[in-house]
Amino acid sequence: MPRSIECLLQQTSAQLVTAGSNSPQLDSVVLLCHVLDKPRSYLLTWPEKQLDDSQFEMFSTLLARRIAGEPIAYIVGEREFWSLPLKVSPSTLIPRPDTERLVELALEKIPLGKCQVLDLGTGTGAIALAIASERTDIMVTGIDLRPEAVALATENSQRLTITNSCFLSGSWYTPLTLQPQFAVIVSNPPYIDEADPHLIEGDVRFEPKSALVAEDNGLADIRLISEQGRQYLSPNGWLLMEHGFEQGAAVRTILEQLGYVQVSTSQDYAGLDRVTMGCWLGDHL
């Protein structure tokens, strides 16, 4: 195989098309930039640049992993979210652009002045760090069941010097004290039914199933978060949860039956139901 940047981009893009990649040209660019440790502009400026033996061997190895279907984010160990470069690993979900909609809506609900925000199932810390980066006057806590995810989120916060965030390990609310303290609770919990055929397709095949799958047709964790969240929300606090595009009505029903008010569902950038929210007035349970 030719070793110039221009030829490699052309040939590997064709290989990735055959392998079924949805973004073959971008995949090729990202892998080459990673191997060369150069920005994308370098590829355009020096198309005739030849890879040396070690670079070519590394590129070939990474390309084979991508052809086999491994997500590009896991291969290069990084994914951008909310303009933040986040380290990722196979122990966490890969942050997706649609989840930025959850961040936007949460920022609209966070009151002025100092307060606390909670991110449940934080993974890489993407949601928590995006919110904390926009509101440096508040404190954002992220919780994840997996200690390795908490370590990764903490590393991301340190690399990005986002100091108004902290991360705890435990199952949902268990690391917290029982008192209303959060103005907003956000979560992108597992919401896929275990029988969903999409679990054996694309990037999802490589992601941790514990972060994807929930019982009760994908609603079990959403129900638990909603029910227990009433004990941790400040009066007039908001709960916002990402979910599947066909689950909006079911999630609204869960929140309304539990006593939340102003319950509504917002759409993602593709116009699909993606985030449902409700306000807890602080009434006695």
Side-chain angles (χ1 to χ4, degrees):
M1 181 185 290
R3 296 191 180 190
S4 73
I5 287 175
E6 183 177 26
C7 290
L8 283 174
L9 287 176
Q10 292 174 352
Q11 295 197 16
T12 58
S13 294
Q15 288 180 274
L16 288 166
V17 168
T18 303
S21 170
N22 293 323
S23 53
Q25 292 179 327
L26 178 61
D27 289 353
S28 300
V29 168
V30 170
L31 290 178
L32 263 178
C33 289
H34 180 69
V35 168
L36 297 172
D37 193 23
K38 299 290 186 181
R40 296 182 188 181
S41 59
Y42 181 88
L43 306 186
L44 298 173
T45 306
W46 304 100
E48 74 284 358
K49 166 73 177 177
Q50 300 279 324
L51 274 65
D52 62 29
D53 289 345
S54 62
Q55 290 170 336
F56 184 74
E57 182 178 354
M58 179 181 180
F59 180 75
S60 299
T61 299
L62 299 185
L63 177 62
R65 290 169 62 185
R66 183 57 185 145
I67 289 173
E70 187 174 349
I72 199 81
Y74 288 161
I75 295 172
V76 302
E78 187 172 288
R79 181 65 170 261
E80 185 174 288
F81 180 85
W82 202 262
S83 298
L84 301 173
L86 299 172
K87 282 195 171 184
V88 300
S89 78
S91 67
T92 64
L93 290 183
I94 300 168
R96 289 169 168 78
D98 282 340
T99 302
E100 293 189 356
R101 183 63 179 141
L102 176 60
V103 174
E104 291 175 346
L105 294 166
L107 289 169
E108 292 175 5
K109 296 302 182 185
I110 299 171
L112 296 175
K114 292 183 178 180
C115 64
Q116 294 192 64
V117 171
L118 176 65
D119 173 28
L120 293 172
T122 196
T124 61
I127 297 169
L129 294 172
I131 292 172
S133 71
E134 295 289 342
R135 287 291 305 270
T136 57
D137 58 325
I138 68 172
M139 186 67 191
V140 184
T141 301
I143 295 176
D144 200 284
L145 178 64
R146 294 152 296 171
E148 60 270 29
V150 172
L152 185 62
T154 301
E155 181 181 355
N156 279 326
S157 70
Q158 293 170 346
R159 287 176 62 243
L160 297 167
T161 62
I162 299 177
T163 57
N164 58 320
S165 61
C166 68
F167 298 94
L168 306 172
S169 179
S171 177
W172 302 125
Y173 300 98
T174 53
L176 304 172
T177 57
L178 266 175
Q179 58 178 335
Q181 54 186 311
F182 296 102
V184 170
I185 296 175
V186 296
S187 183
N188 178 16
Y191 56 73
I192 301 177
D193 183 79
E194 60 185 354
D196 193 311
H198 294 97
L199 290 170
I200 57 173
E201 299 175 357
D203 290 359
V204 173
R205 293 173 295 161
F206 293 83
E207 295 183 279
K209 294 297 182 288
S210 62
L212 293 165
V213 175
E215 297 178 353
D216 188 19
N217 297 313
L219 295 170
D221 290 315
I222 287 174
R223 193 182 305 278
L224 183 151
I225 290 167
S226 304
E227 182 176 0
Q228 296 185 8
R230 299 173 297 174
Q231 303 173 70
Y232 298 94
L233 282 167
S234 303
N236 300 307
W238 284 88
L239 172 65
L240 301 92
M241 295 176 292
E242 181 173 334
H243 52 71
F245 70 94
E246 295 179 326
Q247 295 175 319
V251 179
R252 289 195 300 274
T253 297
I254 290 171
L255 291 178
E256 289 167 351
Q257 289 179 343
L258 289 170
Y260 290 84
V261 299
Q262 302 181 54
V263 174
S264 65
T265 299
S266 293
Q267 288 70 48
D268 59 22
Y269 307 125
L272 302 173
D273 284 357
R274 187 59 61 191
V275 177
T276 294
M277 68 190 81
C279 179
W280 180 249
L281 296 179
D283 298 335
H284 293 295
L285 299 179

